[in-house]
Amino acid sequence: LALNEAINQDGSLQPALYNRARAKLRWSARSERPLNSSAGTDIDNAINTGPPNADLYLAAARIYLRLERAPGQHRERVIRYLGEALRLGLNPDIVRREFKSVLDGSALEALLANFATGEERAKVIRLVDPLADDHFWPGTGSAQLERPL
């Protein structure tokens, strides 16, 4: 909720937009529910706000992959975002590991052709680590969301 307040006060806060989009993605994955399209809006706004970095584009690719309602619906966007992440220093092994099952061999190899294995260089500044044990309810013994974002 602090992210919503921060964005309402200043819609150009890239870390808040990024973290809210990631929080929505993580909530969707953990609850096994469809991802709200507002996560795509948040991550696109974070990208447009700048500055660019590898983590931001990797998160965008993950979000748009999860937003697909039909196979290939956001394929070109996912490939474009992965290309930007790689250009900004993302370790190609991450792409090989996470996106191998969704990109056919030729698309994956074309994407990775110009990038050697290496370490991630660019990091986004996080205001919080969304949903990583951030809501602990006494007496329940577990972390859980009070409500979806």
Side-chain angles (χ1 to χ4, degrees), residues 51-74:
N53 64 69
D55 283 349
L56 186 63
Y57 281 100
L58 177 60
R62 288 171 174 156
I63 286 168
Y64 276 97
L65 191 60
R66 180 109 181 154
L67 282 172
E68 284 194 344
R69 301 291 185 249
Q73 179 183 4
H74 295 295

Tab-separated table of all heavy atoms in Angstrom, residues 51-74:
chain	number	residue	atom	x	y	z
A	51	PRO	N	16.058	5.369	-15.439
A	51	PRO	CA	16.984	4.866	-16.449
A	51	PRO	C	16.809	3.370	-16.665
A	51	PRO	O	16.306	2.668	-15.794
A	51	PRO	CB	18.365	5.161	-15.841
A	51	PRO	CG	18.132	5.087	-14.372
A	51	PRO	CD	16.731	5.609	-14.156
A	52	PRO	N	17.240	2.886	-17.830
A	52	PRO	CA	17.095	1.452	-18.114
A	52	PRO	C	18.103	0.627	-17.333
A	52	PRO	O	19.174	1.107	-16.989
A	52	PRO	CB	17.375	1.375	-19.619
A	52	PRO	CG	18.274	2.532	-19.896
A	52	PRO	CD	17.847	3.618	-18.932
A	53	ASN	N	17.733	-0.618	-17.025
A	53	ASN	CA	18.661	-1.571	-16.422
A	53	ASN	C	18.173	-2.984	-16.701
A	53	ASN	O	17.015	-3.194	-17.064
A	53	ASN	CB	18.858	-1.301	-14.924
A	53	ASN	CG	17.585	-1.500	-14.150
A	53	ASN	OD1	17.117	-2.617	-14.008
A	53	ASN	ND2	17.016	-0.419	-13.654
A	54	ALA	N	19.060	-3.934	-16.549
A	54	ALA	CA	18.774	-5.323	-16.906
A	54	ALA	C	17.631	-5.918	-16.091
A	54	ALA	O	16.765	-6.606	-16.637
A	54	ALA	CB	20.040	-6.168	-16.754
A	55	ASP	N	17.613	-5.673	-14.788
A	55	ASP	CA	16.558	-6.243	-13.942
A	55	ASP	C	15.176	-5.748	-14.351
A	55	ASP	O	14.201	-6.496	-14.311
A	55	ASP	CB	16.795	-5.909	-12.473
A	55	ASP	CG	17.875	-6.770	-11.837
A	55	ASP	OD1	18.304	-7.758	-12.467
A	55	ASP	OD2	18.280	-6.456	-10.711
A	56	LEU	N	15.097	-4.511	-14.719
A	56	LEU	CA	13.825	-3.919	-15.127
A	56	LEU	C	13.279	-4.621	-16.370
A	56	LEU	O	12.108	-5.012	-16.425
A	56	LEU	CB	14.037	-2.425	-15.389
A	56	LEU	CG	12.831	-1.572	-15.699
A	56	LEU	CD1	11.867	-1.558	-14.522
A	56	LEU	CD2	13.285	-0.154	-16.011
A	57	TYR	N	14.128	-4.811	-17.367
A	57	TYR	CA	13.689	-5.480	-18.592
A	57	TYR	C	13.421	-6.969	-18.377
A	57	TYR	O	12.510	-7.522	-18.994
A	57	TYR	CB	14.702	-5.253	-19.713
A	57	TYR	CG	14.555	-3.886	-20.340
A	57	TYR	CD1	15.402	-2.843	-20.002
A	57	TYR	CD2	13.539	-3.631	-21.264
A	57	TYR	CE1	15.261	-1.585	-20.569
A	57	TYR	CE2	13.390	-2.379	-21.836
A	57	TYR	CZ	14.250	-1.361	-21.487
A	57	TYR	OH	14.090	-0.120	-22.054
A	58	LEU	N	14.180	-7.606	-17.498
A	58	LEU	CA	13.914	-9.009	-17.181
A	58	LEU	C	12.548	-9.139	-16.507
A	58	LEU	O	11.756	-10.022	-16.842
A	58	LEU	CB	15.008	-9.581	-16.280
A	58	LEU	CG	14.808	-11.026	-15.819
A	58	LEU	CD1	14.726	-11.993	-17.001
A	58	LEU	CD2	15.935	-11.431	-14.870
A	59	ALA	N	12.249	-8.258	-15.568
A	59	ALA	CA	10.933	-8.271	-14.911
A	59	ALA	C	9.825	-8.050	-15.932
A	59	ALA	O	8.777	-8.703	-15.874
A	59	ALA	CB	10.878	-7.209	-13.815
A	60	ALA	N	10.054	-7.146	-16.884
A	60	ALA	CA	9.044	-6.878	-17.921
A	60	ALA	C	8.789	-8.133	-18.757
A	60	ALA	O	7.632	-8.461	-19.058
A	60	ALA	CB	9.497	-5.716	-18.801
A	61	ALA	N	9.846	-8.842	-19.118
A	61	ALA	CA	9.673	-10.075	-19.896
A	61	ALA	C	8.888	-11.108	-19.094
A	61	ALA	O	7.982	-11.768	-19.623
A	61	ALA	CB	11.040	-10.632	-20.297
A	62	ARG	N	9.204	-11.244	-17.821
A	62	ARG	CA	8.478	-12.199	-16.966
A	62	ARG	C	7.005	-11.819	-16.847
A	62	ARG	O	6.122	-12.680	-16.886
A	62	ARG	CB	9.108	-12.235	-15.584
A	62	ARG	CG	10.445	-12.918	-15.536
A	62	ARG	CD	11.100	-12.729	-14.188
A	62	ARG	NE	12.341	-13.499	-14.062
A	62	ARG	CZ	13.306	-13.181	-13.224
A	62	ARG	NH1	13.191	-12.134	-12.408
A	62	ARG	NH2	14.398	-13.917	-13.172
A	63	ILE	N	6.743	-10.540	-16.674
A	63	ILE	CA	5.363	-10.067	-16.525
A	63	ILE	C	4.566	-10.324	-17.794
A	63	ILE	O	3.458	-10.864	-17.752
A	63	ILE	CB	5.342	-8.581	-16.120
A	63	ILE	CG1	5.752	-8.460	-14.645
A	63	ILE	CG2	3.983	-7.938	-16.393
A	63	ILE	CD1	6.053	-7.055	-14.191
A	64	TYR	N	5.119	-9.944	-18.952
A	64	TYR	CA	4.359	-10.128	-20.190
A	64	TYR	C	4.210	-11.594	-20.561
A	64	TYR	O	3.208	-11.972	-21.175
A	64	TYR	CB	4.944	-9.285	-21.321
A	64	TYR	CG	4.389	-7.883	-21.237
A	64	TYR	CD1	5.102	-6.869	-20.623
A	64	TYR	CD2	3.114	-7.605	-21.702
A	64	TYR	CE1	4.562	-5.598	-20.499
A	64	TYR	CE2	2.567	-6.339	-21.582
A	64	TYR	CZ	3.287	-5.340	-20.983
A	64	TYR	OH	2.741	-4.097	-20.855
A	65	LEU	N	5.124	-12.426	-20.163
A	65	LEU	CA	4.959	-13.855	-20.376
A	65	LEU	C	3.789	-14.367	-19.544
A	65	LEU	O	2.958	-15.137	-20.017
A	65	LEU	CB	6.243	-14.590	-20.000
A	65	LEU	CG	6.312	-16.045	-20.399
A	65	LEU	CD1	6.193	-16.207	-21.906
A	65	LEU	CD2	7.615	-16.641	-19.915
A	66	ARG	N	3.686	-13.902	-18.315
A	66	ARG	CA	2.588	-14.325	-17.424
A	66	ARG	C	1.247	-13.730	-17.867
A	66	ARG	O	0.194	-14.315	-17.606
A	66	ARG	CB	2.913	-13.901	-15.991
A	66	ARG	CG	1.867	-14.287	-14.992
A	66	ARG	CD	2.332	-15.381	-14.108
A	66	ARG	NE	1.280	-15.733	-13.181
A	66	ARG	CZ	1.162	-16.898	-12.644
A	66	ARG	NH1	2.044	-17.832	-12.897
A	66	ARG	NH2	0.191	-17.169	-11.816
A	67	LEU	N	1.280	-12.578	-18.541
A	67	LEU	CA	0.042	-11.947	-19.002
A	67	LEU	C	-0.552	-12.617	-20.239
A	67	LEU	O	-1.699	-12.343	-20.588
A	67	LEU	CB	0.277	-10.462	-19.309
A	67	LEU	CG	0.342	-9.516	-18.126
A	67	LEU	CD1	0.768	-8.123	-18.565
A	67	LEU	CD2	-0.990	-9.474	-17.387
A	68	GLU	N	0.194	-13.481	-20.886
A	68	GLU	CA	-0.309	-14.127	-22.098
A	68	GLU	C	-1.561	-14.938	-21.804
A	68	GLU	O	-1.571	-15.786	-20.929
A	68	GLU	CB	0.752	-15.044	-22.717
A	68	GLU	CG	1.816	-14.304	-23.443
A	68	GLU	CD	2.657	-15.204	-24.333
A	68	GLU	OE1	2.623	-16.447	-24.179
A	68	GLU	OE2	3.350	-14.650	-25.190
A	69	ARG	N	-2.605	-14.653	-22.543
A	69	ARG	CA	-3.842	-15.429	-22.438
A	69	ARG	C	-3.912	-16.444	-23.583
A	69	ARG	O	-4.596	-17.442	-23.500
A	69	ARG	CB	-5.077	-14.519	-22.486
A	69	ARG	CG	-5.114	-13.469	-21.387
A	69	ARG	CD	-5.336	-14.104	-20.023
A	69	ARG	NE	-5.488	-13.077	-19.005
A	69	ARG	CZ	-4.599	-12.830	-18.053
A	69	ARG	NH1	-3.502	-13.535	-17.982
A	69	ARG	NH2	-4.809	-11.894	-17.159
A	70	ALA	N	-3.196	-16.131	-24.658
A	70	ALA	CA	-3.096	-17.032	-25.803
A	70	ALA	C	-1.607	-17.215	-26.098
A	70	ALA	O	-0.840	-16.262	-25.965
A	70	ALA	CB	-3.806	-16.437	-27.011
A	71	PRO	N	-1.184	-18.415	-26.470
A	71	PRO	CA	0.234	-18.638	-26.756
A	71	PRO	C	0.770	-17.650	-27.784
A	71	PRO	O	0.162	-17.423	-28.827
A	71	PRO	CB	0.260	-20.073	-27.299
A	71	PRO	CG	-0.967	-20.718	-26.741
A	71	PRO	CD	-1.990	-19.620	-26.650
A	72	GLY	N	1.885	-17.022	-27.459
A	72	GLY	CA	2.528	-16.088	-28.378
A	72	GLY	C	1.962	-14.685	-28.399
A	72	GLY	O	2.436	-13.835	-29.152
A	73	GLN	N	0.952	-14.415	-27.581
A	73	GLN	CA	0.288	-13.107	-27.591
A	73	GLN	C	1.271	-11.956	-27.377
A	73	GLN	O	1.171	-10.934	-28.038
A	73	GLN	CB	-0.795	-13.082	-26.513
A	73	GLN	CG	-1.539	-11.772	-26.398
A	73	GLN	CD	-2.543	-11.785	-25.254
A	73	GLN	OE1	-2.638	-12.746	-24.494
A	73	GLN	NE2	-3.287	-10.718	-25.135
A	74	HIS	N	2.203	-12.118	-26.471
A	74	HIS	CA	3.177	-11.062	-26.177
A	74	HIS	C	4.599	-11.488	-26.542
A	74	HIS	O	5.567	-10.916	-26.042
A	74	HIS	CB	3.122	-10.688	-24.691
A	74	HIS	CG	1.828	-10.086	-24.272
A	74	HIS	ND1	1.379	-8.877	-24.747
A	74	HIS	CD2	0.870	-10.533	-23.423
A	74	HIS	CE1	0.212	-8.595	-24.208
A	74	HIS	NE2	-0.124	-9.593	-23.401
